[in-house]
Amino acid sequence: MCLRHVLAWIGMALALPAAAADYAALPGGQFASVIPADGKAARATIAPFRLRTEPVTNGEFLAFVKTHPRWRRDQVASVLADQRYLSHWAGPVELGKDVLPRQPVTRVSWFAAQAYCASEGARLPSWYEWEYAAAADATRRDARKDPAWREDLLAWYSRPSSAPLPVIGGRPNVYGVRDIVHPVWEWADDFNALLVASDSRDQNDPDVLKFCGAGAVSLQEKENYAVLMRVAMLSALKAADTTNNVGFRCAKP
Amino acid sequence: MKRLLLILALMLATAPAIAQNKPLPTDSIYHLDVQFTDQAGHTQPLAARRGRPQLVTMLYTSCQMVCPLIIDSLRQTWKTLDAGDRSRIDLLAVSFDPERDTVAALRAYAAKRQLVAPPWTLARTKAGDVRQLSGVLGLQYRQLPDGEFNHSSELILLDAEGRIVARTTRMGRADPGMVAAIRQTLAGKQR
């Protein structure tokens, strides 16, 4: 009986990822997002949550597709991930010599990212959670007014998208979260909630009926355009889309 | 002879099930592993809708603005079809708001708006599944602090295999393009 228990435990331990991912606790609270909570000016309320300290890597995602074959690139349904899904890997379960295990994984769809996080007992962070975590620097929770923080965010745009991604391991911010602004952009759970469709802006436009309730969202913190560009990019994506530079990390309550 | 008839009857009865065993097309939304509960309280996988074309939308029943119009649009689109076609398509409206749209709320809304099954299914899913479903249907939504939702309003036509074959944002009256797409989809199935 005892032996069976031990064996069961070993089996469970083997089924878990090789090294459990680290999560940092973030306190949450009121947060002035670029996207007002009510579509006008209200601050967002963020409950305390935990965030993965690092983005998910190629190595981790490879282990995931090996245990969840429906997410292999040769088996995934096209409705859940587009043609370019994991196309930088050498094979369906092989990274190849040009793809490093410690690089953040990219070319993953929102559905695939969701499924990975679920396998870790987690979920994708909301946009507010991501924006809140990314607002910190090494010493401050909200460094957004500091030109150095903005320059750091903008520096991302000057990196050619064809250049190989660096491996992760950047300097942690005040929460212990790393690599959130560089080197990849990240999926948000509510990526399709940001509602900045240009055709929803004009109240006299018949297309305003596309959106129920208050209609268009009025963006805030307009000087913070490095963040707004990320909103625009996420809003333009569909859940099955994959791109060269969008990866993800996971969150937990 | 009796046994032979019985076997024949059994074969006929299982024929549709066999047809469903063929693999789903890769672009079918029925690859999504979500469940929904209808206004009668029955819970099914989304993929249980396979086999018949569906006209699908998402809304929430406490919405006062565009959502009644979405229901009207579904109803008018369906009424534009001739009687034969009407019996071969289902209308499915899934809630953005599982918290308030309980089975009882869906049932009350169906009664108030005279949405009888068939063809009407009003449905709710688990909170996490709403985002998945909206993602696969290409719909956007956002909950506001006051409990209302901003959301895109669209009717989406799925063929019998769950592939999106048409969509329209035209609300308040039947979109002729959508009606034509439904007829074409139903005709395709007859072949």
Side-chain angles (χ1 to χ4, degrees):
Chain A
M1 192 63 188
C2 195
L3 182 67
R4 260 174 65 190
H5 264 109
V6 170
L7 286 177
W9 270 108
I10 291 171
M12 274 174 66
L14 288 177
L16 291 171
D22 284 334
Y23 282 76
L26 281 73
Q30 295 284 312
F31 180 68
S33 167
V34 295
I35 305 174
D38 58 355
K40 297 177 194 82
R43 289 156 79 89
T45 304
I46 300 170
F49 67 106
R50 289 179 295 157
L51 191 63
R52 221 175 187 278
T53 55
E54 295 177 346
V56 175
T57 62
N58 280 314
E60 289 167 330
F61 206 81
L62 177 66
F64 166 73
V65 301
K66 282 179 176 169
T67 50
H68 299 75
R70 69 184 291 238
W71 293 104
R72 286 164 51 134
R73 75 178 192 201
D74 58 342
Q75 292 183 30
V76 74
S78 68
V79 75
L80 303 180
D82 69 13
Q83 286 291 315
R84 294 208 305 166
Y85 174 65
L86 299 178
S87 58
H88 54 310
W89 289 7
V93 287
E94 187 194 349
L95 299 184
K97 63 175 170 48
D98 298 330
V99 174
L100 303 175
R102 286 286 287 165
Q103 283 170 326
V105 68
T106 57
R107 298 194 196 176
V108 282
S109 67
W110 179 87
F111 290 114
Q114 274 282 347
Y116 179 94
C117 289
S119 79
E120 217 170 80
R123 56 175 172 78
L124 286 173
S126 69
W127 165 261
Y128 285 149
E129 288 169 341
W130 184 90
E131 189 189 354
Y132 169 79
D137 69 4
T139 55
R140 292 164 294 185
R141 286 182 179 176
D142 193 345
R144 291 178 296 170
K145 297 281 184 245
D146 186 341
W149 179 90
R150 293 190 177 174
E151 266 164 42
D152 188 38
L153 200 62
L154 283 173
W156 187 91
Y157 296 97
S158 59
R159 199 186 66 80
S161 68
S162 56
L165 286 171
V167 297
I168 57 173
R171 205 173 157 207
N173 71 13
V174 69
Y175 304 115
V177 169
R178 286 199 293 268
D179 303 295
I180 191 160
V181 173
H182 307 280
V184 288
W185 292 16
E186 297 180 9
W187 280 111
D189 173 64
D190 52 350
F191 77 99
N192 67 348
L194 310 177
L195 290 192
V196 287
S198 56
D199 54 0
S200 71
R201 284 182 194 149
D202 183 355
Q203 289 295 320
N204 298 317
D205 184 337
D207 265 348
V208 81
L209 279 178
K210 278 173 76 176
F211 298 103
C212 193
V217 168
S218 156
L219 295 169
Q220 302 294 301
E221 310 264 328
K222 295 193 177 59
E223 72 283 6
N224 200 344
Y225 55 89
V227 172
L228 288 171
M229 280 168 76
R230 298 206 173 197
V231 172
M233 183 275 306
L234 280 178
S235 301
L237 291 177
K238 302 231 177 325
D241 286 349
T242 72
T243 85
N244 268 345
N245 43 38
V246 177
F248 69 102
R249 74 180 69 218
C250 313
K252 292 178 180 181
Chain B
M1 186 61 192
K2 228 180 184 173
R3 250 176 77 188
L4 197 68
L5 274 177
L6 193 69
I7 288 166
L8 206 67
L10 267 173
M11 280 173 65
L12 283 175
T14 52
I18 289 164
Q20 304 247 322
N21 279 344
K22 72 177 167 164
L24 267 181
T26 183
D27 52 350
S28 167
I29 76 156
Y30 297 143
H31 285 287
L32 199 63
D33 185 17
V34 299
Q35 307 243 323
F36 70 86
T37 305
D38 66 18
Q39 69 268 40
H42 298 308
T43 301
Q44 285 186 312
L46 179 66
R49 308 297 283 200
R50 188 179 181 193
R52 283 164 61 89
Q54 310 282 319
L55 198 53
V56 185
T57 195
M58 292 181 76
L59 46 70
Y60 64 109
T61 68
S62 57
C63 162
Q64 302 296 319
M65 292 176 73
V66 77
C67 303
L69 211 55
I70 299 176
I71 292 289
D72 291 345
S73 310
L74 270 174
R75 195 197 307 265
Q76 283 164 22
T77 305
W78 185 75
K79 278 190 169 167
T80 309
L81 305 172
D82 62 42
D85 281 354
R86 278 183 217 165
S87 67
R88 292 165 54 228
I89 185 165
D90 300 317
L91 308 178
L92 173 63
V94 185
S95 175
F96 286 115
D97 187 9
E99 201 175 313
R100 285 182 295 177
D101 280 338
T102 59
V103 169
L106 295 178
R107 192 159 47 226
Y109 190 75
K112 184 178 138 206
R113 298 295 319 266
Q114 298 179 312
L115 311 174
V116 179
W120 287 95
T121 302
L122 297 181
R124 66 186 302 280
T125 64
K126 286 188 302 190
D129 289 350
V130 180
R131 191 65 71 189
Q132 300 256 345
L133 189 62
S134 74
V136 85
L137 292 173
L139 299 175
Q140 297 185 312
Y141 76 97
R142 165 181 194 77
Q143 187 161 23
L144 303 173
D146 62 2
E148 298 291 310
F149 288 78
N150 279 0
H151 64 85
S152 38
S153 305
E154 286 190 60
L155 307 188
I156 295 161
L157 176 63
L158 305 179
D159 70 10
E161 293 290 276
R163 290 173 289 217
I164 296 174
V165 288
R167 55 197 311 144
T168 180
T169 54
R170 186 182 285 195
M171 292 293 137
R173 59 193 189 281
D175 178 342
M178 177 56 86
V179 173
I182 294 171
R183 288 189 178 127
Q184 211 175 345
T185 300
L186 290 170
K189 195 165 177 287
Q190 266 174 343
R191 262 189 272 128

